[in-house]
Amino acid sequence: MLQGMLLIALVILSFSVLAGLCRVLLGPSMPDRIIALDTIGINLIGIVAILSVMQRTQTYLEIILLIGIVAFLGTIAFSKYIEKGAVIEHERSNR
């Protein structure tokens, strides 16, 4: 019974990733695309967590942390790019 529910949750999350991918490709604006990328990262964390529970192992927990860190940093970088036009700002001295 638990395996069946986990499989259903895995299928639903997979469809959610596909819907997010469509929003990334066809999104009307850049903020919509950034939110879709963040949502895809969260859904991937859920997929990896479900796979970890299904296989009864804890080896995937490090992958979950890495996906979370990369998704967070990507969201911050894209948001900063939208706000200021550059991710890394270089200050020039007036010589």
Side-chain angles (χ1 to χ4, degrees):
M1 171 124 172
L2 179 65
Q3 293 293 329
M5 290 190 321
L6 289 174
L7 190 61
I8 290 170
L10 193 61
V11 169
I12 291 171
L13 284 173
S14 299
F15 282 128
S16 180
V17 168
L18 289 175
L21 187 61
C22 289
R23 178 56 58 193
V24 168
L25 296 175
L26 304 173
S29 67
M30 189 61 80
D32 290 332
R33 290 182 171 127
I34 293 170
I35 291 171
L37 282 173
D38 195 36
T39 304
I40 288 172
I42 292 169
N43 288 330
L44 286 176
I45 289 172
I47 289 172
V48 173
I50 289 173
L51 289 175
S52 177
V53 170
M54 288 176 79
Q55 295 181 359
R56 295 187 176 133
T57 183
Q58 294 181 355
T59 56
Y60 295 123
L61 297 179
E62 294 173 1
I63 296 171
I64 291 172
L65 288 172
L66 287 174
I67 293 172
I69 290 169
V70 169
F72 174 74
L73 291 176
T75 302
I76 297 298
F78 281 131
S79 299
K80 191 171 180 182
Y81 177 74
I82 285 177
E83 181 182 349
K84 297 184 179 180
V87 177
I88 299 173
E89 297 176 11
H90 297 285
E91 294 183 23
R92 295 182 184 209
S93 62
N94 295 329
R95 290 186 184 183

